[in-house]
Amino acid sequence: MNILFVLTSHDSLGNTGEKTGFWIEEFAAPYYTFADAGNNITLASPMGGQPPIDPKSALEDFQTDATHRFDADSELQNKLAKTLRLAEISADDYDAIFYPGGHGPMWDLTTDADSISLIEAFARQEKPVSAVCHAPSVLLNAKDEQGQPLFDGKQVTGFSNTEEAAVGLTDVVPFLLEDELKGRGGLYSQGPDWMPYCVQDGMLITGQNPASSTAVAEAVLTLLKD
C-alpha cells in the first residue's frame, strides 16, 4: 500500500519567539509501524523540503524506541529533508493519508487549500484519513460532499483542553482543538491525559496525544487489510 504523510511547514509558536513544528514521536512511531508492515510511504508538506521539528520533542523526557530509531536512521532523515510539495500530490496515488501532530499544523495545515482538497478527495474515495494529537486540526475546514464539516456527527478526538493547559499553551495556540472539534459537530471524546486514546469512525481515525500515535497507525493498517 502507498501511504501519504503530510507534515507542517510552520515553525513559529505564536508570538512567543519560540519554535514549533511537528512532534518527532508522532512521526517516527507511525512511520515505522507502516514501514515495518511493508508499506510505501511518501512525505509531503506545504512548502516541501525539510519540515520543522518541534525542538521540545527532542528533549530526553519525550524519547521512545521509535525516536531513538529515527535518530539513528540517516536514510529516513534524508528522506524527511526532501518532502514533496503538497501542490504536487494527488490522492489518486495513495491508499491512506496520515497527519503527525505537533503545534505547527494548527497554524498552516488547518487552512492550507491543498491539504483540505486532499483530505476531501481521500474521503470521497473512501480511503482512510488519520491524524494524531494537534493534527486533527487539519480536518476543521474539510467538507463532505454535502458541504458539511467532514467530521460532523462522527466520533473524533484530539489534544484535549486539559493537556493544552498542562503544557501552558492555552493562551498561545490560535484555538483550542477540543473546542473547535465540538463546535463544528464532532462527537469529541477523550481518555486520561497523556494516555493512548484512539477513535475510529468509518474511515476517519484520530488520536488524542503523542502516546496515541502507534494506535492510530495500527487502526489504519487494519482498515487497509480489510
Side-chain angles (χ1 to χ4, degrees):
M1 295 289 185
N2 296 309
I3 299 171
L4 177 66
F5 271 46
V6 180
L7 298 113
T8 182
S9 292
H10 184 87
D11 69 354
S12 299
L13 189 61
N15 297 317
T16 64
E18 296 181 26
K19 293 298 185 182
T20 189
F22 74 89
W23 199 259
I24 298 172
E25 158 68 17
E26 297 168 27
F27 165 74
Y31 185 94
Y32 291 123
T33 299
F34 288 126
D36 291 348
N39 297 284
N40 301 311
I41 303 164
T42 297
L43 307 181
S45 62
M47 295 176 62
Q50 175 70 54
I53 295 173
D54 188 317
K56 291 180 181 177
S57 71
L59 297 176
E60 185 59 37
D61 286 352
F62 305 119
Q63 301 316 295
T64 65
D65 289 345
T67 66
H68 289 308
R69 182 175 173 184
F70 170 74
D71 290 341
D73 190 343
S74 58
E75 183 177 348
L76 179 54
Q77 292 175 31
N78 184 59
K79 181 177 179 178
L80 181 65
K82 300 175 182 177
T83 66
L84 301 178
R85 291 180 63 249
L86 274 184
E88 304 170 358
I89 300 294
S90 170
D92 297 344
D93 298 329
Y94 301 94
D95 300 292
I97 189 169
F98 174 80
Y99 286 81
H103 283 90
M106 302 183 82
W107 275 277
D108 64 349
L109 290 171
T110 300
T111 55
D112 185 275
D114 294 315
S115 176
I116 292 167
S117 294
L118 275 173
I119 291 168
E120 292 174 345
F122 274 87
R124 284 195 307 272
Q125 295 173 17
E126 298 184 341
K127 297 173 179 177
V129 173
S130 57
V132 67
C133 200
H134 288 90
S137 63
V138 305
L139 304 170
L140 291 176
N141 293 300
K143 301 289 196 298
D144 63 19
E145 292 182 87
Q146 287 71 47
Q148 298 301 309
L150 194 65
F151 56 85
D152 185 22
K154 293 187 176 182
Q155 301 288 334
V156 66
T157 191
F159 205 61
S160 66
N161 289 352
T162 51
E163 288 168 320
E164 201 69 79
V167 298
L169 294 176
T170 298
D171 297 326
V172 173
V173 291
F175 52 85
L176 291 174
L177 180 56
E178 175 184 333
D179 289 353
E180 289 297 315
L181 291 170
K182 289 177 177 176
R184 303 194 194 196
L187 303 179
Y188 180 90
S189 62
Q190 68 189 87
D193 287 359
W194 314 117
M195 299 299 289
Y197 188 75
C198 175
V199 172
Q200 179 178 344
D201 195 323
M203 291 288 170
L204 180 64
I205 303 170
T206 48
Q208 180 179 327
N209 49 35
S212 311
S213 55
T214 298
V216 172
E218 289 174 343
V220 173
L221 286 177
T222 298
L223 279 178
L224 292 175
K225 291 174 184 175
D226 290 345

